[in-house]
Amino acid sequence: MSTSTTPASTEKITHRTILSTSGRIHVAEQGSGPLVLLVHGFPESWYSWRHQLPALAAAGYRAAAIDVRGYGRSSKPAEVAAYRMLELVEDNVAVVRALGERTAAIVGHDWGSPIAANSALVRPDVFRAVGLLSVPYAPRGGPRPSEIFARMGGEEEFYISYFQEYGRAEAEIEPDVRGWLAGLYAALSADTMPPAGAPDPHFVSRGGRLRDRFPTGRLPAWLSEDDLDVYAGEFERTGMTGALNRYRNMDRDWEDLARFDGAPITQPSLFIGGSLDASTTWMADALKAYPTTLPGLASSHVLEGCGHWVQQERREEVNELLTGWLASQS
């Protein structure tokens, strides 16, 4: 185990690599006490939890943020099918076991939210509580996901459909990873997102690129140049394929999880979203269904004037909500 020295805000964070079915998972951890596993989304890394690690540690928890399979210092299997949901659930279980624990609370943001939700659903023996950020829980069901996404957007193409073809999004992103990330982060942040009525950055014009609709020239307030360097440096080193392969498994997940069709998550749960985040607003019906789908829900919070990157845009509020919710479980 080694102690990180940069950036300064993470100097007390320790790093380790544990073995999993994919080979290895990188874990950044801080604190001692009950284990809280933190799962990031796209396109990020463990670093998206840099504000939560010290806050959770100060509150008496052992906070552990992973690089999801395909990201950062974790393994990147070659097969697309290696990024299916059930494999990621097993990675999370492997981390808990490797850290010497029997159970953990799990918290996820963006893609990390359904990964956390399915971890709690598939392995309730391991994951005793689940926190969901930005993406609400919606039980498996309905038509095949690719069919749903293909119908969205009319003449335009929904970004998840755009990501399906191996190499297509990589060809857009990898020549200028830093610029692409800066644009995406700005597009979904409250203070830099396109104004109402502007072309939606979640869609691609036929023959166009996602970045054609990203704002340029200003970083969101939560993202410093140094922060952007951390994110960009990881993807410049690893490439984007591992991260994008998560999207390429959505139909496979739909098949794998058929036995959980319509299943509720009964563990104690928490939801935090942003009022300006399409992930929250498009899934308003999922929020309304929480009494049925999340019967253990302690509280649901939609932060006014907040975009997609909730734990970075509103770190103090999110830290307070997370630590308060976790304390209520003990």
Side-chain angles (χ1 to χ4, degrees), residues 1-7 10-18 25-30 46-47 53 65 67 73:
M1 182 185 299
S2 62
T3 302
S4 172
T5 57
T6 57
T10 63
E11 62 185 5
K12 295 181 181 178
I13 296 172
T14 58
H15 296 262
R16 72 168 76 191
T17 301
I18 66 98
I25 295 294
H26 167 239
V27 185
E29 60 180 309
Q30 188 170 1
W46 75 267
Y47 189 73
L53 288 165
D67 279 338
R73 302 182 214 175

Side-chain angles (χ1 to χ4, degrees), residues 14 33 74 170 206 221 253-254 263-264:
T14 58
S74 293
E170 288 92 330
R206 297 295 175 183
D253 297 339
W254 182 82

Side-chain angles (χ1 to χ4, degrees), residues 115-140:
I115 294 170
N118 281 288
S119 295
L121 185 67
V122 175
R123 294 300 303 269
D125 57 316
V126 177
F127 299 103
R128 56 182 175 79
V130 57
L132 309 175
L133 275 58
S134 294
V135 178
Y137 175 60
R140 185 265 187 210

Side-chain angles (χ1 to χ4, degrees), residues 134-158:
S134 294
V135 178
Y137 175 60
R140 185 265 187 210
R144 187 177 294 272
S146 60
E147 296 173 3
I148 296 172
F149 300 135
R151 294 196 296 264
M152 297 178 66
E155 292 301 312
E156 298 179 335
E157 187 176 16
F158 192 47

Side-chain angles (χ1 to χ4, degrees), residues 145-259:
S146 60
E147 296 173 3
I148 296 172
F149 300 135
R151 294 196 296 264
M152 297 178 66
E155 292 301 312
E156 298 179 335
E157 187 176 16
F158 192 47
Y159 77 100
I160 294 178
S161 296
Y162 179 73
F163 286 166
Q164 294 305 305
E165 182 183 341
Y166 191 93
R168 183 183 178 196
E170 288 92 330
E172 172 185 338
I173 302 168
E174 290 177 353
D176 178 22
V177 170
R178 194 177 192 277
W180 195 90
L181 291 177
L184 179 66
Y185 295 150
L188 306 185
S189 297
D191 58 332
T192 49
M193 63 177 50
D200 191 331
H202 295 89
F203 294 87
V204 182
S205 299
R206 297 295 175 183
R209 307 170 302 169
L210 269 174
R211 71 181 304 156
D212 294 339
R213 298 183 176 186
F214 292 168
T216 59
R218 185 162 71 97
L219 294 182
W222 61 267
L223 184 71
S224 71
E225 295 284 352
D226 288 343
D227 294 331
L228 181 58
D229 285 341
V230 172
Y231 286 126
E234 290 292 79
F235 287 111
E236 286 167 348
R237 180 174 58 81
T238 66
M240 299 299 298
T241 296
L244 289 163
N245 279 346
R246 172 83 290 273
Y247 291 93
R248 296 164 182 158
N249 276 277
M250 296 183 76
D251 281 353
R252 191 172 284 111
D253 297 339
W254 182 82
E255 296 169 355
D256 288 346
L257 297 167
R259 68 186 186 276

Side-chain angles (χ1 to χ4, degrees), residues 108 110 113-114 116-117 130-140 262-274 277 279-302 325:
D110 184 79
S113 179
V130 57
L132 309 175
L133 275 58
S134 294
V135 178
Y137 175 60
R140 185 265 187 210
I265 294 174
T266 59
Q267 294 97 315
S269 56
L270 170 75
F271 176 76
I272 307 171
D277 181 11
S279 298
T280 299
T281 58
W282 285 350
M283 298 184 70
D285 288 345
L287 295 179
K288 293 176 183 176
Y290 274 174
T292 300
T293 61
L294 288 178
L297 184 70
S299 57
S300 178
H301 308 268
V302 177
W325 169 67

